[in-house]
């Protein structure tokens, strides 16, 4: 079974440009999450989709970030315009909707974003 | 104050040593406690999960939670070079709530 896949693995852009990150969750996982780790800091929650609906976007830093999950399958996270402080590793994760909590989020390998 | 504080490390231990990792937290609403392991250039993967206070053992790994002290630990016995990774504690307030709060991670190197 394929895991969570993310693309691109690394993106280098200049301040003011736009970048779109893509995440393909594990097939059958309705829950999709975006997390971010900036240099030297902890991994922080950005938002949560259940199928195509945004369940919680309380972690989104500002309106330069736009996440979508059309059709409830893959998701994209767009940063426009990118700022220097947006540099970091963006992780996508998915989980099954189980009755019992297992603590298990399945993470992708991350998309490293460098803004120059 | 951060919600979750984790000993920064890095830790370097000889093969066979016991590794002790710790996190403290400030929010008493946390009920579910996890340890994730992250190898270089990979995503975190769940290692262990515990609910509320107590101990849980899985092979060479033991997780402890002390809610009264807001303190959690992970112990790795008979450490192996393959245990070299970054270990992240994570916490959640409710069941089925995967809006996790992470510690910054401790990087562990086990020397052969």
């Amino acid at each position: 079974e394929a895991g969570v896949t993310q693309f691109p693995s690394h993106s280098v852009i200049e301040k003011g440009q736009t970048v779109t990150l893509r995440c393909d969750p594990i097939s059958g996982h309705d829950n999709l999450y975006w997390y971010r780790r900036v240099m030297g800091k902890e991994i922080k929650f950005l938002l949560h989709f259940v199928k195509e609906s945004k369940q919680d976007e309380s972690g989104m830093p500002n309106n330069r970030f736009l996440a979508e999950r059309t059709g409830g399958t893959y998701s994209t996270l767009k940063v426009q315009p990118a700022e220097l402080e947006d540099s970091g590793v963006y992780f996508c994760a998915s989980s099954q909707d189980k009755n019992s909590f297992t603590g298990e989020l399945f993470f992708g390998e991350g998309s490293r974003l460098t803004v120059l | 104050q951060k919600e979750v504080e984790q000993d920064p490390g890095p830790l370097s231990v000889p093969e066979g040593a016991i590794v002790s990792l710790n996190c403290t937290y400030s929010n008493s609403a946390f009920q579910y406690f996890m340890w994730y392991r992250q190898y270089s250039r990979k995503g975190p993967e769940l290692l262990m999960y515990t609910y509320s206070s107590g101990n849980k053992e899985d092979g060479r790994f033991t997780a402890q939670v002390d809610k009264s002290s807001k303190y959690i630990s992970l112990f790795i016995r008979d450490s192996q070079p393959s245990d070299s990774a970054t270990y992240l504690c994570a916490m959640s307030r409710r069941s089925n709530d995967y809006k996790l709060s992470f510690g910054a991670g401790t990087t562990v190197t086990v020397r052969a």
Side-chain angles (χ1 to χ4, degrees):
Chain A
E1 179 181 291
V4 176
T5 56
Q6 292 187 245
F7 182 84
S9 58
H10 191 188
S11 182
V12 181
I13 62 173
E14 293 193 350
K15 175 182 172 181
Q17 289 186 321
T18 297
V19 64
T20 299
L21 311 176
R22 172 171 169 145
C23 168
D24 287 78
I26 292 173
S27 177
H29 283 193
D30 288 338
N31 295 280
L32 186 148
Y33 304 79
W34 284 98
Y35 281 80
R36 175 175 77 166
R37 182 171 192 155
V38 296
M39 183 70 75
K41 302 280 190 178
E42 62 275 14
I43 296 173
K44 286 206 165 182
F45 169 85
L46 295 179
L47 88 160
H48 169 207
F49 283 101
V50 177
K51 297 185 179 178
E52 67 275 8
S53 299
K54 290 177 186 174
Q55 188 76 13
D56 182 347
E57 52 183 332
S58 60
M60 294 287 264
N62 52 60
N63 59 10
R64 295 185 295 102
F65 289 76
L66 175 64
E68 295 180 320
R69 192 182 182 195
T70 306
T73 55
Y74 71 91
S75 174
T76 58
L77 180 64
K78 180 190 287 188
V79 184
Q80 179 182 29
E83 297 289 344
L84 298 179
E85 64 265 25
D86 301 331
S87 295
V89 181
Y90 290 77
F91 290 104
C92 177
S94 68
S95 72
Q96 290 181 308
D97 188 13
K98 290 182 176 177
N99 291 329
S100 59
F101 184 77
T102 65
E104 187 158 29
L105 273 180
F106 295 87
F107 282 86
E109 295 189 351
S111 290
R112 182 174 298 273
L113 174 63
T114 302
V115 182
L116 302 175
Chain B
Q1 183 187 9
K2 290 182 181 178
E3 272 195 315
V4 182
E5 297 274 3
Q6 183 168 359
D7 289 350
L11 288 179
S12 179
V13 300
E15 184 174 357
I18 294 175
V19 177
S20 173
L21 303 165
N22 307 293
C23 287
T24 58
Y25 61 96
S26 57
N27 191 337
S28 57
F30 288 131
Q31 299 283 343
Y32 299 84
F33 304 92
M34 290 138 276
W35 287 94
Y36 277 79
R37 177 176 62 194
Q38 184 179 17
Y39 291 113
S40 181
R41 301 292 183 179
K42 299 292 186 182
E45 57 178 353
L46 182 68
L47 194 59
M48 293 191 72
Y49 141 71
T50 54
Y51 167 66
S52 197
S53 287
N55 294 356
K56 185 173 184 178
E57 190 171 315
D58 183 1
R60 297 184 294 109
F61 299 89
T62 300
Q64 291 184 348
V65 174
D66 181 349
K67 289 191 67 181
S68 63
S69 301
K70 296 189 180 70
Y71 188 89
I72 71 170
S73 300
L74 177 71
F75 299 96
I76 307 173
R77 291 183 300 281
D78 186 26
S79 57
Q80 304 295 310
S82 58
D83 295 326
S84 298
T86 296
Y87 291 81
L88 304 150
C89 62
M91 306 177 189
S92 173
R93 292 165 181 78
R94 297 176 297 275
S95 66
N96 278 343
D97 180 1
Y98 289 91
K99 182 180 176 181
L100 305 182
S101 295
F102 281 89
T106 303
T107 298
V108 175
T109 301
V110 181
R111 308 185 306 272

